[in-house]
Amino acid sequence: MASFSAFLLTLSVISFLLLGTTSMAQLTPDFYSESCPDLFTVVRSQIESAVQNEKRMGASLVRMFFHDCFVNGCDGSVLLDDTPTFVGEKKAGPNMNSLRGFEVIDAIKAAVEEVCPGVVSCADIIAIAARDSVVELGGTSWDVKVGRRDARTASQALANTSIPAPTSSLSKLISSFAAQGLSVNDLVALSGAHTIGQARCTNFRNHIYNESNIDSFFAGTRRANCPPTKGSGDDNLAPLDINTPNLFDNSYYADLIAKRGLLHSDQELFNGGSTDSQVQAYASNPDAFNADFIAAMIRMGDIKPLTGNSGEIRKNCRMVN
C-alpha cells in the first residue's frame, strides 16, 4: 500500500511539472487580448506623439530594444536605474551618454497603467515601442509577440561585453550575434535599423580619419562636424543613413555599397567579406529586406524572455517592486 501511495505521489508530481511546463506563459501577439485589450492602441498613441516631436526618438527606441535583448534576454533590465545598493546597465560603455528614450518608456508605462494597472511588463513595452517606432518612420508593421516579465536584476558587465561596439570587425559582429542565437542573416537584416537615427562623433571618428574603406568625399563631409582630436566634438551627431535618416527604408545598404557606412561596423558588412552578397540583395530588393528584418526582430524578441512566474511586472520601469 505504501509503495502504491508513493507511486501516486510521484505521478502527481510529474503531472504537476508537466502542467507547469505547458501552462508557462508563452510569447504570443494576443497575450493581453483579455487582460489589456487597449494596450497596442495606447502604446501606438504615445509613440506617434514622441516620434512626431523628435524623429530621432524612433531610432533610439529601436536601439533600446536591441540593447535590452542582448543582455540576459529581453527582460527590461536596461531600464533599471542605479541605486546605492544596485548597479544597472545604464552606465555601461555602450549605454552611458548614448542610450536614450527612457522618459518615453516612462510615459508609455504611465498611460498603460491607467487602463490596465499591474498587467503589462516594461519588457513588453520596449518591444512594442520598437515596432511602432519603425512603423511611424515608414517601415512595415508586424505582430509583436508579448508575455514577457521584467527582470529584478541587471548586468553592467554583460552590457559592456555582449553589445557589439561600433569598432567591431565582421567576425566579432558574427560571433556577438551567434552568442544570442542569431544568424549572420539576422545580423545583416537587423543592422538595417541604421537606416534611421544618428551616431556620435566619438563612435565614427577613427573610421572617417584613419580608414581606407570609406568614400573620400563622404569622409570629408563627416569631418566637417567631427574634429580629429578626441574630446573635441565627441557628442556631435551625424546621420547613419545620409540620404533618408528619418525614413525606414533600404537605402542604408546602398550607402554601404558606395562605401558611405558611417560606423566601422557598418562598413564591415560590405568590405569584401561573406555578407557582401546579402547587402547587395537588400539594396536592390526592399521587400526582401523588410521581410528579413521583421523575422529577425521577432527572433531577437525571443531571446531568453522571462515568463510564467519568473521575474515580475514592475510598477515603475526604473526600479524593481
Side-chain angles (χ1 to χ4, degrees):
M1 184 70 177
S3 61
F4 181 70
S5 297
F7 169 76
L8 288 178
L9 177 61
T10 301
L11 186 62
S12 297
V13 170
I14 292 173
S15 298
F16 173 79
L17 291 174
L18 288 173
L19 180 61
T21 300
T22 56
S23 63
M24 286 286 284
Q26 299 299 313
L27 301 187
T28 172
D30 61 0
F31 184 86
Y32 296 111
S33 60
E34 295 184 6
S35 60
C36 193
D38 294 328
L39 169 62
F40 292 103
T41 301
V42 171
V43 176
R44 182 63 189 272
S45 176
Q46 292 290 321
I47 292 298
E48 286 177 350
S49 177
V51 175
Q52 286 173 10
N53 183 59
E54 183 196 2
K55 296 293 186 182
R56 183 187 172 206
M57 186 54 69
S60 296
L61 293 171
V62 174
R63 184 166 178 253
M64 182 186 291
F65 185 43
F66 172 80
H67 283 221
D68 185 38
C69 292
F70 265 56
V71 182
N72 283 331
C74 310
D75 60 4
S77 61
V78 74
L79 301 174
L80 292 169
D81 285 342
D82 287 2
T83 73
T85 58
F86 181 88
V87 178
E89 297 163 16
K90 290 182 176 178
K91 292 183 180 178
N95 298 333
M96 190 172 180
N97 299 320
S98 177
L99 203 63
R100 56 198 300 275
F102 299 110
E103 71 286 351
V104 176
I105 299 299
D106 291 340
I108 296 172
K109 177 65 171 175
V112 170
E113 287 294 302
E114 285 288 326
V115 295
C116 336
V119 172
V120 180
S121 69
C122 301
D124 277 342
I125 287 174
I126 297 175
I128 301 168
R131 187 274 311 273
D132 288 351
S133 293
V134 169
V135 173
E136 188 64 19
L137 292 174
T140 305
S141 186
W142 66 92
D143 291 334
V144 178
K145 294 198 293 183
V146 288
R148 301 169 189 82
R149 289 169 64 84
D150 296 318
R152 298 188 180 98
T153 61
S155 177
Q156 188 176 110
L158 279 179
N160 279 320
T161 57
S162 298
I163 299 169
T167 55
S168 297
S169 65
L170 179 59
S171 61
K172 175 60 177 176
L173 291 170
I174 291 172
S175 64
S176 294
F177 276 68
Q180 305 298 335
L182 297 173
S183 68
V184 177
N185 190 82
D186 293 328
L187 158 65
V188 181
L190 289 170
S191 295
H194 283 182
T195 191
I196 52 176
Q198 302 182 66
R200 296 157 64 222
C201 166
T202 188
N203 289 323
F204 60 83
R205 176 182 283 118
N206 188 63
H207 183 49
I208 64 173
Y209 281 102
N210 301 319
E211 297 182 0
S212 59
N213 60 336
I214 185 170
D215 176 75
S216 58
F217 180 80
F218 173 73
T221 301
R222 295 280 69 90
R223 289 171 187 166
N225 196 40
C226 183
T229 306
K230 183 178 180 180
S232 178
D234 282 2
D235 292 330
N236 291 352
L237 299 171
L240 288 160
D241 175 347
I242 193 172
N243 295 308
T244 54
N246 294 319
L247 178 65
F248 196 92
D249 57 17
N250 66 329
S251 65
Y252 163 80
Y253 298 102
D255 285 340
L256 298 186
I257 293 172
K259 293 191 175 182
R260 295 195 302 250
L262 182 63
L263 305 177
H264 171 87
S265 55
D266 285 329
Q267 198 58 57
E268 281 289 279
L269 300 180
F270 192 83
N271 194 33
S274 60
T275 54
D276 283 14
S277 59
Q278 191 176 347
V279 169
Q280 290 171 320
Y282 288 163
S284 62
N285 190 338
D287 290 338
F289 161 58
N290 285 326
D292 285 359
F293 177 80
I294 288 170
M297 285 289 280
I298 293 171
R299 277 191 287 273
M300 185 172 71
D302 285 339
I303 298 175
K304 296 185 291 187
L306 298 174
T307 59
N309 295 320
S310 300
E312 64 183 13
I313 303 298
R314 284 187 219 138
K315 298 175 183 177
N316 181 333
C317 290
R318 293 176 181 262
M319 62 186 69
V320 297
N321 293 339

